Amino acid sequence: MRVRKLDGGNDWTFGQGMANYINGSDAIRQNVATRIKSFQNDWFLDTDAEIDWFNILGSKNNKNIIEREVERVTKETFGVASVDNVELIKIENRVANIIVKFTTIYDDTFESEIQI
């Protein structure tokens, strides 16, 4: 798998040829983070993909829902062999900090903190 590398602001990088692409476990890690951050209905060809963040973050007692949805999306990401842990660190003012730990098909394990 090869994908275009994202910069610190989550924009595609350009201008360096193949150096602007990542592959293997790094590509899988980036895809997991991107898919978790994506809102449901963002892609018109698959309106059920990703997570319904607008409704979930606006509801009360949503910790289990968030963890379950993050686990589902992570498992469905191509190249993820297993989801080892999902933990909601903090949720405040419709902003959530989540730690997700997963293993790729290349036997690499990643633990990423993602903010929504």
Side-chain angles (χ1 to χ4, degrees):
M1 167 189 295
R2 183 180 336 176
V3 297
R4 186 168 289 279
K5 186 173 16 175
L6 300 179
D7 64 13
N10 293 318
D11 291 323
W12 285 345
T13 57
F14 292 98
Q16 298 172 345
M18 292 307 291
N20 290 119
Y21 290 87
I22 55 176
N23 54 30
S25 289
D26 289 330
I28 296 167
R29 179 197 47 77
Q30 181 176 290
N31 281 346
V32 166
T34 301
R35 292 190 69 221
I36 290 172
K37 291 178 182 181
S38 294
F39 285 69
Q40 193 173 40
N41 292 320
D42 270 355
W43 191 38
F44 68 94
L45 292 175
D46 189 357
T47 57
D48 292 329
E50 314 321 346
I51 300 175
D52 188 11
W53 287 118
F54 287 119
N55 290 318
I56 293 173
L57 290 176
S59 66
K60 294 184 179 186
N61 301 321
N62 54 8
K63 180 179 189 243
N64 290 335
I65 297 169
I66 291 171
E67 289 175 349
R68 190 175 59 242
E69 285 294 291
V70 168
E71 182 176 358
R72 177 189 62 82
V73 167
T74 303
K75 280 182 183 176
E76 292 175 356
T77 303
F78 177 79
V80 173
S82 67
V83 178
D84 304 320
N85 188 38
V86 175
E87 182 181 355
L88 179 63
I89 303 279
K90 177 178 84 170
I91 184 163
E92 167 178 308
N93 298 326
R94 296 183 66 121
V95 175
N97 287 13
I98 304 158
I99 290 181
V100 61
K101 183 177 180 181
F102 61 93
T103 304
T104 70
I105 57 175
Y106 303 110
D107 287 331
D108 293 324
T109 300
F110 290 96
E111 183 171 291
S112 300
E113 183 171 345
I114 300 169
Q115 184 178 54
I116 307 299

